[in-house]
Amino acid sequence: DSGVTQTPKHLITATGQRVTLRCSPRSGDLSVYWYQQSLDQGLQFLIQYYNGEERAKGNILERFSAQQFPDLHSELNLSSLELGDSALYFCASSDPTDTQYFGPGTRLTVL
Amino acid sequence: SQQGEEDPQALSIQEGENATMNCSYKTSINNLQWYRQNSGRGLVHLILIRSNEREKHSGRLRVTLDTSKKSSSLLITASRAADTASYFCATDQGGKLIFGQGTELSVKP
């Protein structure tokens, strides 16, 4: 158990819909990262937040957005969902040694 | 797109044998991290090696880093069936991790 929690574990929805994925970092970690894992693209960095501020952006679609709240939990919002958005979405948090600890992931299926 | 390339893509060995996985990358890094993933599950952190380090050990794991060749290797000694998983290297570039495509390791009892 990494200490990073993610909800829900599984999400099944239809094309065009909007979903919210939630992540709580390890106690004391200020940074939160979001990654997407799909069969064709592999593991890809989406976005990083540090203490509520966006720190870095990767291959995140405009239909996706994220935020980190004052209690440091983070949410990833995915809208106008397409079949190709089906993937595992991971959240990670990092400690002062830069080690990133990953949550169990949310498996999103878009039908 | 992913920066890292891992070699081999798949590796099948017998219990007790050693397993070596290699990772190459293209740009400067702060550190390189190795992860294990059991089928469709979460990523488990194995080891972090900084750009100024050449070798690190953790239990049965040994990681080397050659920044001049932009490559790293992960050695698992005396493998066990429970080591069966996918192994990923990830280069830390300003905080974001760039992952390789992974090596699928199968350890047969």
Side-chain angles (χ1 to χ4, degrees):
Chain A
D1 183 358
S2 67
V4 177
T5 61
Q6 289 186 250
T7 56
K9 285 186 180 176
H10 302 276
L11 202 47
I12 301 174
T13 189
T15 54
Q17 295 298 304
R18 172 189 168 94
V19 297
T20 298
L21 282 52
R22 183 187 168 105
C23 165
S24 291
R26 297 183 332 141
S27 177
D29 289 351
L30 300 179
S31 275
V32 167
Y33 308 79
W34 286 97
Y35 293 85
Q36 179 195 60
Q37 185 178 32
S38 62
L39 282 174
D40 54 346
Q41 296 289 326
L43 270 157
Q44 292 213 9
F45 168 77
L46 295 178
I47 197 163
Q48 177 201 357
Y49 279 83
Y50 179 83
N51 203 19
E53 301 286 327
E54 182 184 302
R55 178 65 67 90
K57 233 173 180 176
N59 299 322
I60 187 166
L61 299 171
E62 283 191 17
R63 300 182 286 108
F64 297 0
S65 65
Q67 58 185 129
Q68 186 179 26
F69 295 87
D71 67 352
L72 300 178
H73 91 272
S74 177
E75 292 181 355
L76 179 66
N77 301 296
L78 315 176
S79 62
S80 303
L81 285 167
E82 301 175 359
L83 295 177
D85 297 327
S86 295
L88 261 172
Y89 290 85
F90 289 108
C91 166
S93 69
S94 61
D95 68 11
T97 70
D98 298 326
T99 299
Q100 289 192 23
Y101 297 93
F102 282 71
T106 293
R107 183 174 294 280
L108 173 67
T109 302
V110 182
L111 301 174
Chain B
S1 64
Q2 294 165 314
Q3 178 196 237
E5 290 189 9
E6 293 183 61
D7 169 53
Q9 288 191 354
L11 181 59
S12 182
I13 59 174
Q14 296 292 131
E15 250 187 342
E17 293 180 341
N18 295 342
T20 299
M21 288 159 265
N22 302 297
C23 167
S24 61
Y25 57 93
K26 295 175 185 171
T27 63
S28 298
I29 60 172
N30 298 326
N31 61 66
L32 186 146
Q33 303 184 39
W34 284 90
Y35 288 85
R36 184 185 76 228
Q37 183 179 35
N38 290 86
S39 182
R41 300 180 69 177
L43 291 152
V44 175
H45 185 265
L46 297 176
I47 202 162
L48 179 154
I49 186 165
R50 299 202 176 279
S51 59
N52 61 351
E53 296 175 310
R54 292 297 167 259
E55 189 171 312
K56 272 188 100 166
H57 297 256
S58 177
R60 293 183 297 113
L61 306 180
R62 173 180 169 250
V63 166
T64 63
L65 178 64
D66 186 334
T67 53
S68 66
K69 294 181 179 178
K70 291 188 169 55
S71 67
S72 175
S73 68
L74 170 67
L75 168 67
I76 303 174
T77 60
S79 63
R80 305 166 182 168
D83 294 329
T84 294
S86 293
Y87 291 81
F88 294 89
C89 71
T91 52
D92 183 330
Q93 295 175 37
K96 60 181 180 182
L97 291 181
I98 307 299
F99 283 85
Q101 79 275 21
T103 293
E104 280 192 38
L105 174 65
S106 173
V107 182
K108 300 186 188 308

